[in-house]
Amino acid sequence: MITQAEFPGWPGGADVAVALTFDVDGEAPWLGEGPEYSRRLTMLSQGRFGPERGLGRVLDLLAARDIMATFYVPGHTADHFPDAMTAIMAGGHEVAHHGYLHLGSEGLDAAGQRAELERGLIALGKHGIRPIGYRSPGWELMPETLAMLTDLGFTYDASLMADDRPYWEVSGAAPLLELPGHWSLCDWPYFGYTPYHGGLLADPAAVERIWLDEFESARAEHRVVTYTMHPEAIGRGYLIRMLDRVITGMLDRGQPWLATHAEIAALAVPPGTQPQAPTRAAG
Ligand SMILES: [Zn+2]
């Protein structure tokens, strides 16, 4: 049975908590698929567009809207795109862990998973970052990964989908807060495309409607909703315009608290603790 996470309410009387999150995958997923990709310049350049071009658009939009976001960064991106790291941190955003070479946990034994986690920590550490959150590459997580995360001092994960509300994973040494996402709330299934893996290249107007409908649902339930994006996809010119319209739509419809995953996690009442009364007025 799922242990729901309790929250005392959202700051400022907000009726919903919204996390805009960005996975700055860069070249790592391609290099992680195999050494042959190191010579496939077009594939690599498609990934490189994220930190080199799309990220700037994302950061400009967030700054214009005064929104703090969470950036999940593979260690490889941190090592090879230091300017991207500087720009993210200059914006005051949260940086969280997203593996090193974006290797899916399902293809690694326990030692391999641990090495990915530790290499990622070292790479982020070179930028002075000690992440408390983790999102597994490709959203694949193995049972043993949860214990490794608590062991390494992570307090939340954003890889699992058993609920659309935050919940506690209690299989590790300590409770780990799960901040769930979903493929339907991710840009990649709609807009990620390669000739080899296919892709929809969907109509942004349709995705805008889906994302705002989910926002309305989250608002009605006063819950958290996480959107997952990739600068190499959402950072295309026409899609940044879509994201801008989605943010406008949220602000027109309700009173969202646009927050980082760390800010949301900090409000979760630890399991076994008595929840406090909501701080906001009902209604
Ligand atoms: Zn990723």
Side-chain angles (χ1 to χ4, degrees), residues 58-59 62-63 67-71 87-95 260:
V58 168
L59 291 170
L62 295 174
I67 294 169
M68 289 296 143
T70 301
F71 289 80
I88 292 168
M89 289 189 290
H93 301 288
E94 180 194 7
V95 176
T260 66

Side-chain angles (χ1 to χ4, degrees), residues 2-28:
I2 288 174
T3 306
Q4 293 289 331
E6 303 276 351
F7 293 86
W10 308 125
D15 50 12
V16 55
V18 177
L20 302 183
T21 67
F22 300 89
D23 298 357
V24 194
D25 290 347
E27 298 174 334

Side-chain angles (χ1 to χ4, degrees), residues 23 25 98 102 137-138 230:
D23 298 357
D25 290 347
H98 195 45
H102 205 275
H230 300 75

Side-chain angles (χ1 to χ4, degrees), residues 178-253:
E178 188 57 52
L179 293 170
H182 192 257
W183 300 106
S184 61
L185 305 176
C186 174
D187 61 356
W188 195 256
Y190 301 114
F191 306 118
Y193 174 86
T194 70
Y196 315 102
H197 299 81
L200 287 176
L201 293 180
D203 177 3
V207 178
E208 181 182 339
R209 196 170 62 245
I210 293 166
W211 285 12
L212 283 174
D213 277 350
E214 180 67 12
F215 170 80
E216 287 283 22
S217 163
R219 195 170 74 88
E221 297 174 345
H222 291 217
R223 61 175 164 87
V224 180
V225 58
T226 291
Y227 297 91
T228 301
M229 295 163 275
H230 300 75
E232 68 195 88
I234 202 75
R236 304 301 308 190
Y238 75 110
L239 292 179
I240 275 289
R241 294 167 69 100
M242 181 199 80
L243 179 57
D244 190 44
R245 291 195 302 274
V246 167
I247 293 168
T248 298
M250 290 176 183
L251 297 171
D252 284 349
R253 284 166 171 78

